[in-house]
Amino acid sequence: MMLDPALLAIPKACTFFQLRKLTRTVSRLYDRHLAAVGLKTTQFSVLVHVSVQALPMMQLAALLGAERTTLTRNLKPLTEAGWLTVAPGSDPRQRIVTITEAGRAKVRHARNAWQAAQDEMGSLLGPAALRALHGDLAAAQAKLDRLEQGVNQQEENDGA
């Protein structure tokens, strides 16, 4: 059986494959550090966002780039641990996610582990490459957000 050379080139040329591989590698690095304080990267991210201010679930999901159903699953162990509460908002359909004092203490405790992961990334990539990566990621995200908003606007127009 002869392998198609065009198919063999896809993994190296595909942006999705490359980003997914990088994301998994970076996640393992951060998870390794945060595991020492009993958190996963996704949990730390939720706690940090909510430590700034209580947020409606939909807004928190948007900030995290997560689906609402995924966020609901991710909130469960955090509420069971007593680090967050989820309560109705002024609109009965709205749920507000709030950090507890125990959650604030967990964030303070986890910050050193997160900083160690940040420092390791900086050492591995170098400060200039890390700044460039952050800039490139922010620029790409902004462009993709506009694309996604356009798609959502088109779906609304098609449904009207």
Side-chain angles (χ1 to χ4, degrees), residues 81-84 99-108:
W83 299 329
L84 295 177
I99 196 163
T100 64
E101 280 308 311
R104 288 188 190 288
K106 190 66 170 178
V107 170
R108 284 191 300 274

Side-chain angles (χ1 to χ4, degrees), residues 53-71:
Q53 70 177 35
L55 292 167
M57 280 186 63
M58 292 299 287
Q59 187 178 350
L60 180 57
L63 285 170
L64 296 169
E67 297 292 327
R68 189 187 55 76
T69 55
T70 301
L71 178 60

Side-chain angles (χ1 to χ4, degrees), residues 6-7 16 19 32 34-35 43 88 92 105-106 117 120 126 136 150-151 155:
L7 288 178
F16 173 79
L19 284 172
R32 181 170 37 85
L34 289 167
Q43 295 171 326
K106 190 66 170 178
E120 186 173 346
D136 290 345
V151 168
E155 288 173 352

Side-chain angles (χ1 to χ4, degrees), residues 30 33-34 37 44 48 109-119:
Y30 278 78
H33 286 279
L34 289 167
V37 294
F44 181 72
V48 167
H109 181 65
R111 187 159 188 241
N112 289 336
W114 169 81
Q115 188 63 58
Q118 288 281 99
D119 293 346

Side-chain angles (χ1 to χ4, degrees), residues 1-77:
M1 179 163 91
M2 181 114 167
L3 295 176
D4 182 346
L7 288 178
L8 292 173
I10 289 175
K12 289 183 181 176
C14 179
T15 303
F16 173 79
F17 287 171
Q18 293 299 317
L19 284 172
R20 186 71 158 195
K21 183 178 179 182
L22 177 63
T23 300
R24 286 180 175 145
T25 302
V26 172
S27 292
R28 283 192 297 272
L29 183 150
Y30 278 78
D31 278 337
R32 181 170 37 85
H33 286 279
L34 289 167
V37 294
L39 288 174
K40 296 177 182 174
T41 54
T42 52
Q43 295 171 326
F44 181 72
S45 185
V46 169
L47 288 171
V48 167
H49 277 85
V50 179
S51 72
V52 174
Q53 70 177 35
L55 292 167
M57 280 186 63
M58 292 299 287
Q59 187 178 350
L60 180 57
L63 285 170
L64 296 169
E67 297 292 327
R68 189 187 55 76
T69 55
T70 301
L71 178 60
T72 299
R73 267 194 320 274
N74 290 341
L75 290 176
K76 188 173 184 198

